[in-house]
Amino acid sequence: MPLESILRRAALLAALCMACGAALAAGAGGDAAAALRAKQQAIQQRLDHNAFGRPLEIESRERDNRLSGYVYAVVEFPFPTVAALKQASAWCE
């Protein structure tokens, strides 16, 4: 798979994560929003300076034959565009 396609998919995943984070923040009040802002501040240096050349951070772990991870990114799309990614059909090209 070409790197550009991987980056595009990672950015879309990040946008979805951010949309979910925003929805949680709206539903849970200020605590979730504050936690999201704190996470961004904690990884800001890595968002600004990485091998992707874009504000993208990928964290992954392997424990007990189980993989897990998070993708964080700053995306410049209007919220309605990002919110549309909740639908699986929006992921297919």
Side-chain angles (χ1 to χ4, degrees), residues 50-81:
N50 59 58
F52 300 109
R54 300 172 189 214
L56 178 66
E57 169 72 4
I58 301 174
E59 295 177 359
S60 63
R61 295 176 191 84
E62 182 177 359
R63 291 189 192 132
D64 302 324
N65 295 325
R66 185 175 173 193
L67 296 173
S68 63
Y70 295 94
V71 177
Y72 302 97
V74 177
V75 293
E76 296 184 22
F77 291 102
F79 186 77
T81 301

Side-chain angles (χ1 to χ4, degrees), residues 35-47 59:
L36 192 57
R37 280 192 290 278
K39 181 63 177 181
Q40 182 180 2
Q41 288 177 344
I43 65 171
Q44 189 64 54
Q45 209 43 17
R46 295 190 306 260
L47 288 169
E59 295 177 359

